[in-house]
Each structure stands twice: as C-alpha cells, then as structure tokens.
Amino acid sequence: EEAAAAAAAAESALQSEREARATAQEAAAAAERRSGPLEAQLLEAQRRIESVEGDAIASSRALARATEESTSRDATLESLSRQLAASSEREAELAAGLAGLEVELGEARAELEASRETVATAADSSRAEAEAELRSALASSAAAEEEAAAA
C-alpha cells in the first residue's frame, strides 16, 4: 500500500511537473510574444534617440557656423564703421580746405577787381592827359599856322 501510495504520489508529482512545465512554456511563449513588440518599441526608441542626437549635432554645427558668420559680419561692420569715421574726418578736412580756398578765391577776386579799377583809372587818366596834350599840340599848330599865314 505504501508503494502504491508512493507511486500515486510520484505520478501526481510527475503530472504536476508536466503541468508546471507546460505553464512555464506558455508563460515563456507569452513573455516572448510580449517581448517581441517591446524589443521593437525599444529599437524604435533607440532609433529616435539617435535621430534626435543627430539633429542636435547638426543644430550645434549650424549654430557654430551662424556664430562664425555673425562674428565675421560684426568684424566687417566694425571695419566699415572705422572706414566711415576716417572718411568723415577726411571729408571734414577737405571741407575746411575748401572753405579756405573759397576765402582765398574771394580775396583774389577782390584784388583783381581792385587792380581792374586801378588800371581803368590809370587808363582814364592817361587818356585825359593824352587828349590834353593833343589839344595843346593842335592849338600850338593852329597858332603856328596863323602866324605863318600872317607873316
């Protein structure tokens, strides 16, 4: 009887083990079925992370290029600003020089006008003297002719 009970117990244990094994296999298959989509989701998440990292690297490079370009534009702007300041200074110097030349030109014109007036006055005076001498000579000539005719 003990042997039969032990055999029955062993048979029951074997049956329980088979059932446990079947349950474990079903659980493993179910876990495998669940892990497949989870692994796919994990792979997709990793792909997205890599894509985002790639985008971040590209953005960082673009930012570096934009910063470089901005720095270059700032340097160009500063250079142009210095050139403009130098041009403004030169323009002011030229304007002062031009004003000086205009003053000199005005003075030269005034001197020229004064010289013209002096020459005109001298010419008028010389003409008046020449006319007076001519009249005197004509009068002397007329008087000499009268004397010669009377003689």
Side-chain angles (χ1 to χ4, degrees):
E1 242 179 72
E2 276 184 34
E11 184 65 33
S12 176
L14 280 176
Q15 184 61 31
S16 292
E17 184 185 334
R18 282 187 207 118
E19 289 174 3
R21 199 175 276 160
T23 302
Q25 285 176 348
E26 286 175 18
E32 224 175 280
R33 285 191 303 275
R34 282 193 308 263
S35 72
L38 290 177
E39 284 180 20
Q41 288 175 352
L42 178 61
L43 288 174
E44 178 62 20
Q46 286 175 340
R47 189 193 61 73
R48 285 182 184 165
I49 289 170
E50 288 171 0
S51 175
V52 168
E53 286 174 346
D55 290 347
I57 290 169
S59 294
S60 177
R61 287 181 182 154
L63 178 60
R65 278 192 305 274
T67 301
E68 255 181 57
E69 290 171 3
S70 176
T71 301
S72 175
R73 280 192 295 264
D74 287 349
T76 301
L77 183 59
E78 188 176 324
S79 173
L80 290 173
S81 180
R82 284 194 301 271
Q83 290 175 7
L84 178 61
S87 294
S88 295
E89 288 176 19
R90 182 68 180 137
E91 182 182 3
E93 291 171 3
L94 290 174
L98 180 60
L101 289 175
E102 287 174 348
V103 168
E104 288 179 26
L105 179 61
E107 291 172 356
R109 284 182 177 157
E111 288 177 18
L112 177 61
E113 188 58 34
S115 295
R116 283 183 182 157
E117 289 176 11
T118 301
V119 167
T121 302
D124 289 346
S125 179
S126 294
R127 188 178 310 118
E129 286 177 19
E131 287 174 358
E133 286 178 15
L134 180 61
R135 275 191 294 260
S136 174
L138 286 175
S140 295
S141 174
E145 282 180 14
E146 283 179 16
E147 276 183 26

